[in-house]
Amino acid sequence: MYRTHDCGALRMEHVGQDVTLCGWMQTSRDFGGMTFIDLRDRYGITQLVFNSEENAELAEQAQKLGREYVIRIEGKVRERSNKNPNRPTGNIEIEVSKLEVLNASKTPPFTIEDETDGGEDIRMKYRYLDLRRPQVQNNIIFRSNLAIETRKYLAGQKFVEVETPFLIKSTPEGARDFVVPSRMNQGQFYALPQSPQTFKQILMVAGMDRYFQIVKCFRDEDLRADRQPEFTQIDCEMAFVTQEDILNTFEGLTKYLFKTVKGIDLPDFPRMSYDEAMKRYGSDKPDLRFDMEFTELNKLAKGHDFPVFDNAELVVGICATGQADQFSNKDIKKLTEWMQRPQIGAKGLVYVKMESGGIKSSVGKFYSDEQLQGWADKMGAKEGDLLLILCGESEKTRKQLNELRLEMGRRMGLMKEGDFKPLWVVDFPLLEWDEDSERFHAMHHPFTSPKKEDVDRMLSGDHETMKSLRADAYDLVLNGSEIGGGSIRIHDRALQSRNFDLLGFTKEEAEAQFGFLMGAFEYGAPPHGGIAFGFDRLCAVMNGQSSIRDFIAFPKNNQGRDMMIDAPSPIDSTQLNELSIELKDKK
Ligand code: ASP
């Protein structure tokens, strides 16, 4: 037997027992004749003691151990005189009688503890060392538990786990595809799936009824802080269901996961239409851990000879409770500059401070105190509050105010750890008009069904009508992050053709790319719909973290590189020749 216990197992009740432990040497301290070693494995840390007076040779051997040496020891459990209440094994230590070095280690390039001195790049290069840090290890174990519980829940609801292929055909789902050249079919390419969307729909045509898969998806997007080129979804599809059935099933899954993995009971999830979310929060994924809802001020603010407001399509503001004296004029100036950065692009920021000594405002010249008090009343503001107001073109202004709302929420400490506020956002628009390409894009994806009541308008309406079509599409939002999204699908060939048509596909293009799906729709496709959860994001949000990278065992960095294996990398000319690929000379 290699070991009798792991490094997290021993307690007072084991005192007096002979044990054998294995693990990595985390730290070593010498105190006049005594050497103390912290031995670590996945389960915890146990303190080892070597007494040079009792066994000089053994103590000397212990002093020679370097950090991260892999050792095996035999010894007796004894009560510690100097207890460590912060550690589950902190009441005991092992008086070592035998020490065996199983493997030596080079000195690691950073300290392997929760608080590490290693920067991101070095930790990614030596990810196997980073993964020894308890915090990172716990994230990966959390993820494992979440996947196991997901399978349990869905299996209990009669879902069947089906694997769909990774080598598929390039399809436009919003992002760029990663492509894989085919050696056997020269000049042809597979694409890695952005999601198993068409396959899961085909599985419904095949009568599978309830499908799920915890599956890798690949999107060749420009990387943002919380994006990975490959990520994992809990991907699901159901036949003979309405939107209501899907929302209930996956609200059930989310509640189950919170309960079993975190011990948290979530209340029923509120629902909000896309339009309402945009109006009240300027976002289709509002963070509901705090209020600070938008108030429109067009009626009160326009028509008072303040041209900036008079010329704006929308004047809209938020009330930051109790913040009037927290923001000096200098702070407001800084906040204004923050809002004017190109990422946000606000033209300016108007403030009204409801101070005890009176009202102060950047537009005090244009409005009387009574008028400003009128704004405050409409916004539900009281003495001590700070009103922040933006104006301009409606959609843009709402988006800018959303950024400001989130920033104020952060600064005011309103995004509380351990607070979970889920929300279903429903009734998304079907199509989105893109000014640049002068084309409609599918707001969710091209397979999403319009609402029943909008089908006729979709089949026969004009251009403007298309902008107002609503879809049976929904997102699950948690603390301001979109953690799931899905829709009821089109299951009728003619309607699917019409959608491709609206999206700018010619008949031939639609046939070439999606002929297989439309063909399948001609053989008895049941009504169906589904959803996919971003599994990495769900892990992060459930732990109050913003980076999904911390929940992926081997993530890519900001440049899409795997620093450990150093990928992507060139391939040799033999491989290139086999694939008939000629590289352009790099100048
Ligand atoms: N395939 C979709 C996505 O990846 C999810 C769905 O509609 O089920 O967002």
Side-chain angles (χ1 to χ4, degrees), residues 173 194-195 197 200 219 233 235-237 444-445 485-487 489 530-532:
E173 246 199 274
Q194 294 185 28
S195 84
Q197 185 61 37
K200 65 174 174 174
R219 296 185 189 173
Q233 288 187 340
D235 190 46
C236 307
E237 196 76 5
H444 185 48
H445 54 52
S487 59
R489 326 298 184 187
I531 192 166

Side-chain angles (χ1 to χ4, degrees), residues 82-365:
N82 193 2
K83 297 196 170 54
N84 179 352
N86 300 322
R87 225 180 241 176
T89 61
N91 288 340
I92 57 97
E93 62 193 5
I94 315 295
E95 203 179 354
V96 179
S97 53
K98 192 170 163 206
L99 165 66
E100 186 185 345
V101 175
L102 299 176
N103 214 339
S105 169
K106 285 197 199 168
T107 306
F110 51 88
T111 50
I112 301 182
E113 291 178 37
D114 278 343
E115 290 296 323
T116 180
D117 53 358
E120 177 91 9
D121 276 0
I122 193 97
R123 286 193 289 113
M124 289 306 143
K125 180 163 170 155
Y126 297 93
R127 185 63 166 168
Y128 43 89
L129 298 179
D130 197 31
L131 282 167
R132 282 186 200 162
R133 292 167 56 221
Q135 205 177 53
V136 187
Q137 214 161 58
N138 287 341
N139 287 350
I140 302 303
I141 294 167
F142 178 90
R143 181 186 176 107
S144 164
N145 289 337
L146 205 64
I148 289 168
E149 292 303 334
T150 300
R151 288 200 165 88
K152 275 196 210 159
Y153 177 86
L154 292 174
Q157 304 277 325
K158 298 203 171 77
F159 280 79
V160 180
E161 187 167 17
V162 184
E163 288 168 271
T164 51
F166 278 176
L167 294 175
I168 66 163
K169 164 165 154 157
S170 196
T171 59
E173 246 199 274
R176 225 175 265 122
D177 283 325
F178 280 102
V179 293
V180 181
S182 161
R183 182 181 57 81
M184 308 267 276
N185 305 272
Q186 300 231 329
Q188 299 192 6
F189 296 82
Y190 299 102
L192 301 179
Q194 294 185 28
S195 84
Q197 185 61 37
T198 51
F199 286 94
K200 65 174 174 174
Q201 291 191 238
I202 296 267
L203 284 170
M204 294 305 107
V205 181
M208 204 49 77
D209 201 71
R210 291 180 165 209
Y211 142 93
F212 89 102
Q213 186 180 192
I214 299 182
V215 63
K216 272 289 173 74
C217 301
F218 306 85
R219 296 185 189 173
D220 189 4
E221 292 174 295
D222 294 333
L223 297 166
R224 278 187 257 142
D226 61 341
R227 287 273 166 95
Q228 285 279 314
E230 53 177 302
F231 60 96
T232 303
Q233 288 187 340
I234 307 173
D235 190 46
C236 307
E237 196 76 5
M238 304 167 85
F240 304 113
V241 285
T242 60
Q243 167 170 312
E244 195 59 33
D245 299 313
I246 295 181
L247 299 193
N248 288 335
T249 305
F250 291 94
E251 183 164 326
L253 169 67
T254 312
K255 285 179 178 169
Y256 172 84
L257 293 176
F258 266 89
K259 181 72 188 163
T260 48
V261 182
K262 290 197 72 90
I264 292 175
D265 283 302
L266 291 180
D268 288 346
F269 300 2
R271 296 183 190 180
M272 199 182 284
S273 73
Y274 170 86
D275 283 345
E276 193 184 342
M278 295 308 288
K279 216 168 147 54
R280 287 168 64 185
Y281 302 99
S283 165
D284 59 2
K285 44 178 168 45
D287 190 332
L288 293 192
R289 281 175 294 178
F290 61 101
D291 293 334
M292 229 191 274
E293 276 189 39
F294 293 9
T295 308
E296 289 180 25
L297 295 170
N298 278 13
K299 279 210 189 97
L300 297 177
K302 285 179 166 222
H304 296 276
D305 294 330
F306 178 46
V308 179
F309 282 177
D310 287 348
N311 297 330
E313 191 183 350
L314 177 70
V315 183
V316 60
I318 49 174
C319 168
T321 308
Q323 295 298 301
D325 57 2
Q326 300 295 312
F327 280 77
S328 65
N329 287 352
K330 206 166 139 200
D331 294 332
I332 301 244
K333 188 163 167 255
K334 273 206 201 129
L335 191 62
T336 309
E337 283 163 6
W338 186 86
M339 289 294 292
Q340 286 170 330
R341 291 171 314 145
Q343 298 95 303
I344 300 185
K347 292 221 173 65
L349 174 64
V350 166
Y351 73 84
V352 181
K353 285 182 180 177
M354 309 301 292
E355 288 182 350
S356 51
I359 297 177
K360 284 211 188 99
S361 170
S362 50
V363 292
K365 270 195 288 191

Side-chain angles (χ1 to χ4, degrees), residues 294-473:
F294 293 9
T295 308
E296 289 180 25
L297 295 170
N298 278 13
K299 279 210 189 97
L300 297 177
K302 285 179 166 222
H304 296 276
D305 294 330
F306 178 46
V308 179
F309 282 177
D310 287 348
N311 297 330
E313 191 183 350
L314 177 70
V315 183
V316 60
I318 49 174
C319 168
T321 308
Q323 295 298 301
D325 57 2
Q326 300 295 312
F327 280 77
S328 65
N329 287 352
K330 206 166 139 200
D331 294 332
I332 301 244
K333 188 163 167 255
K334 273 206 201 129
L335 191 62
T336 309
E337 283 163 6
W338 186 86
M339 289 294 292
Q340 286 170 330
R341 291 171 314 145
Q343 298 95 303
I344 300 185
K347 292 221 173 65
L349 174 64
V350 166
Y351 73 84
V352 181
K353 285 182 180 177
M354 309 301 292
E355 288 182 350
S356 51
I359 297 177
K360 284 211 188 99
S361 170
S362 50
V363 292
K365 270 195 288 191
F366 301 94
Y367 299 92
S368 68
D369 277 5
E370 289 72 51
Q371 285 166 336
L372 294 177
Q373 184 62 51
W375 300 6
D377 291 343
K378 177 135 198 238
M379 294 170 83
K382 298 177 302 300
E383 194 179 294
D385 293 351
L386 169 68
L387 314 184
L388 297 167
I389 297 155
L390 297 180
C391 70
E393 191 264 312
S394 296
E395 204 177 315
K396 263 195 205 142
T397 307
R398 286 211 169 89
K399 286 191 176 148
Q400 292 162 354
L401 194 59
N402 164 51
E403 297 293 340
L404 183 61
R405 174 180 177 269
L406 292 175
E407 178 64 13
M408 292 304 288
R410 268 189 289 273
R411 290 192 190 194
M412 291 163 67
L414 300 175
M415 298 170 175
K416 293 212 181 65
E417 211 182 300
D419 192 11
F420 294 100
K421 286 283 147 59
L423 168 75
W424 286 111
V425 178
V426 297
D427 302 344
F428 275 81
L430 182 71
L431 303 165
E432 195 177 20
W433 179 251
D434 182 53
E435 292 292 345
D436 295 336
S437 58
E438 299 203 321
R439 283 185 38 190
F440 278 117
H441 290 290
M443 187 99 173
H444 185 48
H445 54 52
F447 317 106
T448 296
S449 173
K451 288 196 160 296
K452 254 206 189 95
E453 58 271 26
D454 282 358
V455 170
D456 289 342
R457 293 200 301 136
M458 177 176 168
L459 289 171
S460 60
D462 60 8
H463 183 85
E464 276 315 296
T465 308
M466 297 307 131
K467 293 186 184 168
S468 68
L469 299 175
R470 296 289 125 176
D472 272 332

